[in-house]
Amino acid sequence: FDYAGRSLDSYAGRLTWNPSANWSMSGSFAYLRSPEGLSPDESQHRIGASAMYARAMADGGSLAFTAVYGANRHAGESHVEPSYLAEANVDFRARHSAFGRFESVRKDAADLALPSGGAVASTNITELVLGYVYDVNTTGPLRVGVGLRGSINIIPGSLETRYGSRTPSGIALFMRIRPATMAAM
């Protein structure tokens, strides 16, 4: 840590509750003094809440789901920039994984590298992702998988000219390598 010219000037707290072996819930609050190097005079308040659920399935697979809410409020401002996330993963039949993700964030024009004072002061950006991974091997110290991931983003009409579409999308073919012990979790 480099505290040269700085003091411990921020604080945060988190509460976590695990009502069962399958559930975990958490909430947090933080005050961050000058967290961004590009805006050193700007401080933030940050809140967050999450719920996670996981369970084993009968075929030796697993199901996991997470929902997260977070928001930043810049000091001296009344509006918040909320974000929402929900994602799920299911592993089944020893080799197969399917996953999905929904994410929506509210961002100011400066965060999107848009000119301030322009047509867009702040906006919501949303992304939807679906994917699948097939594990090529099931023995040995490493588990290797081949996957396919598709995404679609939803942006407001005011940004369509910058991106060429209100629904920029993409597809990716990928390889995943992980320790076999992680695959068993």
Side-chain angles (χ1 to χ4, degrees):
F1 297 106
D2 182 7
Y3 294 111
R6 298 291 305 245
S7 62
L8 295 175
D9 54 12
S10 300
Y11 55 87
R14 176 183 303 273
L15 292 174
T16 300
W17 178 46
N18 298 317
S20 73
N22 300 95
W23 283 97
S24 181
M25 294 174 219
S26 181
S28 63
F29 175 82
Y31 171 75
L32 306 169
R33 184 164 184 256
S34 183
E36 301 293 333
L38 295 176
S39 304
D41 297 330
E42 187 176 289
S43 297
Q44 289 182 10
H45 293 210
R46 187 171 288 167
I47 61 170
S50 66
M52 295 183 284
Y53 176 79
R55 73 173 180 89
M57 294 179 19
D59 66 355
S62 63
L63 169 69
F65 176 80
T66 300
V68 180
Y69 169 80
N72 290 332
R73 183 175 63 83
H74 300 275
E77 307 240 352
S78 60
H79 75 282
V80 297
E81 295 173 331
S83 64
Y84 308 90
L85 167 75
E87 62 183 16
N89 186 80
V90 61
D91 297 323
F92 55 98
R93 294 191 178 158
R95 292 183 181 265
H96 306 273
S97 298
F99 59 91
R101 177 182 179 104
F102 163 84
E103 185 173 7
S104 183
V105 297
R106 183 154 195 84
K107 287 296 183 183
D108 285 338
D111 293 329
L112 300 172
L114 298 173
S116 60
V120 178
S122 67
T123 190
N124 290 323
I125 308 289
T126 301
E127 182 181 44
L128 303 168
V129 174
L130 290 175
Y132 169 79
V133 180
Y134 176 77
D135 283 335
V136 178
N137 68 322
T138 57
T139 60
L142 295 176
R143 185 69 72 89
V144 177
V146 176
L148 185 66
R149 174 192 187 275
S151 66
I152 186 166
N153 296 277
I154 302 166
I155 61 173
S158 57
L159 294 178
E160 183 175 2
T161 57
R162 289 187 170 271
Y163 290 91
S165 170
R166 290 215 44 221
T167 54
S169 56
I171 192 164
L173 180 63
F174 63 92
M175 182 170 63
R176 176 183 72 187
I177 301 172
R178 63 182 175 166
T181 56
M182 286 185 68
M185 294 179 155

